[in-house]
DNA sequence: CCTAGATATCAACACGCGTTGATATGCTTC
DNA sequence: GAAGCATATCAACGCGTGTTGATATCTAGG
């Protein structure tokens, strides 16, 4: 898919294309998908350009550098963020399942959120820039935005929230990145159920 | 550190160096450290060679290619493997803490094991080769070698073991890769304790 | 229509990469 | 001490990368 011109006579269309251009968005979508599936270093401007059916130089014209393009890709939609933080408030009964379900459904079923998140996660393994981004995302967006909801924010509570988040990230790694069969070839519902069993005693008062 | 010759007259020593050479091991150690801390793609033969105080071509002479060197680096010492699988056998009382402690201590306190493991984990994010290696490691070494110890090996049991392993990997990611402050700036003992709280109901009969 | 600017491609750059073949030096054996 | 092998460096290759400046084409405004 994503080939370029159809059946005209000239070899390659050179200048501006007719119609109102949506090229910037097309490039951004291609970049998001590439960064999410291949990681930062393995993703090249030329591959993104090819996916978008566009010259590599045009990518540089819209986004000044690969780094800036990557940074743009990493923005997570607000609705997904809210979904993940809101799950922590509410009664302690069932908090394990609520959190597990919200988190995993966002990471697995919502492409507009999971692609930036996966790009961040994959990038964090190879570039310090992405690691810092993911660090701040978990520390500032999740941990701090959440610990207020959950019986104060003593250090022990924050640690438990951090551990729970880390565990959920681990499940994403196993399912979406490493694809361990035992964990990957199973319905989300089974995963949510088992994960909830583990998170519940961590997050409820003992 | 790791500069080369000291104060002689000739510009660079060219041929074989005197004494019995331990160069292969020096290169391997440098490679292990680099792959563990920078990941596969960001690690270059030239950097490894510089760390080892050696020409890049020599690295290629000992290990035929970057891939082969990487594969050599990935071998996990048997004692560490045993430590991680043995923790699952024994009484159900305290199994959460036993498993968490064994796993985390190997990954954090035993450099000869944690460097290959971290290299595998980081590499899994950017190259399918390493992902496959880590997949087989978890699936074949851990899951299968372990499910026999734990009340049969029905699918549900194997899933719980898989989830527990994934969660432990998540904690390593948070502490050693992403370095989320709330989780990273805390004693291993606190982490083991909180992790055990979560793993216990997952691994013991309910 | 003509000009200005936005949108697009093209050709080339300097760089770092993995890898290779030639060559130099030290060790070991006869 | 000469031969032969192991150990080491050097110089270069072809390639793919991010990035840049020149140029072509289309659209909008006077």
């Amino acid at each position: 898919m994503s080939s370029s011109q159809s059946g005209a006579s000239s070899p390659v269309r050179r200048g501006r294309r007719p119609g109102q251009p949506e090229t910037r968005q097309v490039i951004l979508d291609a970049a998001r998908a590439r960064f999410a599936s291949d990681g930062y270093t393995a993703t090249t401007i030329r591959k993104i350009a090819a996916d978008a059916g566009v010259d590599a130089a045009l990518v540089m014209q819209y986004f000044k550098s690969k780094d800036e393009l990557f940074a743009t890709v990493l923005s997570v939609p607000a609705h997904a963020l809210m979904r993940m933080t809101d799950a922590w408030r509410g009664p302690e009964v069932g908090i394990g399942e609520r959190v597990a379900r919200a988190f995993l459904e966002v990471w697995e079923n919502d492409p507009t959120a999971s692609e930036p998140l996966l790009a961040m996660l994959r990038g964090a393994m190879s570039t310090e820039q992405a690691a810092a981004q993911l660090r701040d995302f978990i520390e500032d967006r999740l941990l701090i935005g959440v610990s207020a909801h959950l019986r104060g924010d003593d250090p022990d509570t924050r640690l438990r929230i951090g551990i729970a988040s880390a565990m959920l990230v681990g499940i994403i790694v196993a399912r979406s990145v490493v694809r361990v069969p035992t964990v990957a070839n199973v319905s989300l519902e089974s995963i949510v159920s088992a994960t909830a069993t583990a998170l519940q005693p961590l997050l409820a008062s003992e």
Side-chain angles (χ1 to χ4, degrees), chain A:
Chain A
M1 54 214 77
S2 89
S3 66
S4 22
Q5 74 288 359
S6 46
S9 55
S10 75
V12 177
R13 278 284 235 26
R14 188 78 130 78
R16 178 174 186 169
R17 292 200 285 258
Q20 127 186 339
E22 54 184 66
T23 315
R24 198 193 129 99
Q25 193 57 45
V26 173
I27 294 175
L28 195 51
D29 291 346
R32 202 172 11 240
R34 275 289 177 184
F35 280 127
S37 88
D38 297 354
Y40 178 81
T41 25
T43 296
T44 69
I45 298 281
R46 285 167 161 91
K47 278 187 207 153
I48 293 172
D51 289 352
V54 135
D55 189 272
L58 190 57
V59 177
M60 304 294 292
Q61 216 150 40
Y62 277 113
F63 311 88
K64 300 181 36 173
S65 67
K66 185 185 179 184
D67 276 1
E68 198 165 304
L69 174 55
F70 186 56
T72 307
V73 155
L74 292 188
S75 81
V76 180
H79 72 90
L81 263 171
M82 270 201 324
R83 179 104 194 278
M84 288 192 279
T85 55
D86 284 356
W88 303 78
R89 70 185 335 152
E92 286 193 349
V93 181
I95 189 178
E97 172 162 348
R98 276 204 321 278
V99 168
R101 167 163 281 119
F103 195 97
L104 294 174
E105 283 182 355
V106 165
W107 275 75
E108 299 209 351
N109 295 338
D110 180 352
T112 71
S114 66
E115 283 187 345
L117 289 167
L118 267 180
M120 223 186 286
L121 181 55
R122 283 201 132 102
M125 304 285 159
S126 43
T127 80
E128 179 51 31
Q129 179 203 2
Q133 194 102 11
L134 183 54
R135 177 160 55 242
D136 291 358
F137 171 77
I138 294 184
E139 186 76 6
D140 298 347
R141 309 273 149 137
L142 286 187
L143 282 180
I144 291 184
V146 149
S147 62
H149 297 172
L150 209 62
R151 44 163 187 154
D153 62 348
D154 54 300
D156 183 61
T157 301
R158 295 197 51 200
L159 177 58
R160 283 157 181 268
I161 298 176
I163 299 258
S165 307
M167 286 175 159
L168 288 163
V169 168
I171 289 171
I172 298 298
V173 169
R175 276 171 72 85
S176 302
V177 180
V178 181
R179 281 184 253 275
V180 180
T182 301
V183 180
N185 303 335
V186 147
S187 74
L188 224 197
E189 212 47 44
S190 320
I191 300 284
V192 166
S193 156
T195 305
T197 304
L199 294 193
Q200 184 63 33
L202 237 199
L203 299 178
S205 315
E206 8 190 357

